[in-house]
Amino acid sequence: MPPAADAQTVGTSPWGPDDEIGRLNLMTDESRADVLARIDGHTVYDLSVDYFIGMPSWQAAGDPHYRIWMTHTPRGTVIDDPLGLGADMNEHVSYTGSAVSMYTHSGTHIDTLAHFGLDGEIWNGFSADDHLGDRGWTVAGAEALPPIVARGVLIDLPAALGVEMLADNYRITAGDLRDALDRQDVALREGDVVLIRTGRMQVYEDAQAYMSHPPGLGMEAARFLIEESGAMVVGADNLSFEAFPSEIETNYVPVHTYLLAEQGAPILELVYLEELARDSIYAFAFIGGGLRLRGADAAPMRPIALPLRPAGE
């Protein structure tokens, strides 16, 4: 199995030397069939956020903000006549088109195992020297990730702690997660997609409030999710998933490197969990697929959650 977090070396996959998806190998035909057989289709929860100019995004390292611009408009097409159709046709047929530009980690998205590594290597010992070209990674890119169909679990920390939202820079502990799960009467299982609510999504429309000093996961909590509970994918409603400043002097993002590089666990960020929390839906079918951006270290995703019927129904 992958080494402990303190070793600070990339993990070697138990699924073989060619493995690019890590713990997503826990998803099987049987596990997918089991969760799909229990879906209650009366309600669908959209777990994604809107994209808009001025939206919150990771900006600390100088990455590009989200932008959208019009490439064609009904009135502009009449003037420009880009297809040579003439004014009469362009006035009759209204043409609208647009383009977008953004960092791959914008909005609701999944981090691939190429996102963070250690000493020039990522999960399973793939190296930047051998596997990273000018057009992205030749291994472990977003196109390698399969669609995810699994049991999802919401851990609602503000409800468990009796607050509206976790405080700035709050570092989530394993005890916080255990207490919330006990309150919800939900047990984690191997292969779950575990989504943690901090409450920060309540201020998503205010980019500065959302981005500033976000609460996040600590190392102890990350180990609990993977090593004790068997989570396949972990995620949250905040910007950076983990808390800052780092607990480890020699690593500024130890939770990311532990999950991605050492344990092979993809991370979901900016997941919209407010409606699930409002309705106390703690276990559900999680269905989502990232865009197949070849060679990319992340991909936008629009996941959905569907409540489950009780076992035996």
Side-chain angles (χ1 to χ4, degrees):
M1 291 300 291
D6 292 341
Q8 292 286 285
T9 58
V10 299
T12 299
S13 175
W15 295 283
D18 297 326
D19 174 45
E20 304 176 41
I21 64 172
R23 296 182 68 81
L24 286 177
N25 285 287
L26 295 173
M27 187 170 52
T28 65
D29 293 346
E30 292 74 20
S31 70
R32 285 189 292 262
D34 177 68
V35 73
L36 291 174
R38 293 179 51 205
I39 286 176
D40 179 344
H42 288 89
T43 308
V44 177
Y45 293 88
D46 191 335
L47 305 184
S48 62
V49 298
D50 288 352
Y51 289 74
F52 57 91
I53 291 178
M55 67 183 284
S57 63
W58 179 252
Q59 300 170 9
D63 294 292
H65 300 200
Y66 173 82
R67 290 290 182 264
I68 182 170
W69 64 94
M70 304 310 300
T71 59
H72 301 285
T73 60
R75 295 295 175 258
T77 300
V78 173
I79 295 170
D80 295 335
D81 194 15
L83 297 174
L85 299 172
D88 289 344
M89 179 66 76
N90 289 323
E91 288 173 354
H92 175 57
V93 180
S94 298
Y95 182 7
T96 297
S98 57
V100 298
S101 173
M102 63 182 182
Y103 185 40
T104 53
H105 297 263
S106 299
T108 308
H109 66 274
I110 186 167
D111 290 350
T112 79
L113 303 185
H115 182 35
F116 274 105
L118 292 161
D119 302 313
E121 292 184 337
I122 59 171
W123 167 253
N124 215 13
F126 298 122
S127 71
D129 288 343
D130 295 332
H131 301 286
L132 180 59
D134 290 342
R135 299 182 181 182
W137 285 89
T138 60
V139 295
E143 80 281 8
L145 301 180
I148 299 172
V149 178
R151 179 179 181 251
V153 173
L154 167 68
I155 301 181
D156 189 352
L157 291 179
L161 294 170
V163 297
E164 287 294 315
M165 184 188 308
L166 298 190
D168 284 1
N169 297 119
Y170 185 89
R171 195 179 307 274
I172 298 163
T173 68
D176 292 333
L177 300 179
R178 291 190 183 96
D179 290 346
L181 288 165
D182 287 345
R183 175 186 176 276
Q184 296 171 186
D185 194 24
V186 174
L188 297 180
R189 304 173 187 168
E190 184 176 73
D192 283 345
V193 175
V194 182
L195 303 176
I196 298 166
R197 178 175 177 262
T198 70
R200 186 54 69 111
M201 194 57 71
Q202 295 171 91
V203 294
Y204 179 73
E205 295 291 327
D206 182 344
Q208 271 313 119
Y210 181 84
M211 294 187 296
S212 297
H213 308 293
L217 215 66
M219 283 297 301
E220 178 196 42
R223 292 190 185 102
F224 165 75
L225 291 174
I226 301 299
E227 297 175 37
E228 287 190 44
S229 304
M232 179 174 70
V233 178
V234 294
D237 61 353
N238 62 351
L239 180 67
S240 56
F241 190 68
E242 65 185 282
F244 295 107
S246 170
E247 301 167 86
I248 298 177
E249 184 178 347
T250 57
N251 187 337
Y252 73 100
V253 283
V255 173
H256 272 74
T257 55
Y258 168 73
L259 291 169
L260 298 170
E262 298 183 50
Q263 297 292 338
I267 300 171
L268 292 163
E269 292 171 317
L270 286 96
V271 187
Y272 184 75
L273 302 173
E274 293 305 295
E275 293 178 353
L276 285 177
R278 177 198 66 198
D279 295 345
S280 300
I281 304 297
Y282 301 125
F284 45 89
F286 177 97
I287 300 176
L291 295 183
R292 294 174 61 90
L293 303 178
R294 188 173 297 180
D297 47 78
M301 175 184 277
R302 189 174 185 179
I304 61 171
L306 298 104
L308 299 175
R309 299 190 304 274
E313 282 192 12

